């Protein structure tokens, strides 16, 4: 049920990010999944990640993302 799903999401820790993903991506995802909203990465923090900026630059260069 939806109530059970919400309970699971809010009370259990997410599964570890698989090791074949780069460390920076594991760290980024984990920072986005923190239970405490005061500790969770904000969009402005996420947008400061060098890897995110590099990916956005590639998308912009390919015409797939607005400036």
């Amino acid at each position: 049920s939806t109530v059970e799903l919400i309970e699971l999401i809010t009370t259990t820790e997410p599964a570890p990010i698989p090791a074949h993903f780069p460390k920076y991506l594991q760290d980024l995802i984990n920072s986005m999944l923190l239970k405490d909203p005061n500790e969770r990465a904000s969009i402005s923090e996420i947008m400061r990640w060098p890897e995110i900026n590099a990916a956005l630059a590639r998308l912009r260069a390919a015409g797939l993302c607005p400036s």
Side-chain angles (χ1 to χ4, degrees):
S1 78
T2 303
V3 172
E4 291 169 330
L5 178 59
I6 291 170
E7 180 72 19
L8 280 173
I9 291 170
T10 59
T11 61
T12 61
E13 291 301 315
I17 308 302
H20 65 270
F21 288 100
K23 177 78 168 103
Y24 81 87
L25 188 55
Q26 294 176 35
D27 292 344
L28 176 61
I29 293 169
N30 285 327
S31 74
M32 296 166 71
L33 294 176
L34 290 172
K35 302 291 181 200
D36 184 344
N38 295 315
E39 293 182 22
R40 191 178 311 131
S42 67
I43 189 65
S44 61
E45 292 168 331
I46 293 166
M47 295 303 291
R48 287 194 298 264
W49 281 64
E51 297 84 3
I52 297 298
N53 282 302
L56 287 173
R58 288 191 300 274
L59 290 170
R60 286 184 188 111
L64 300 172
C65 181
S67 297

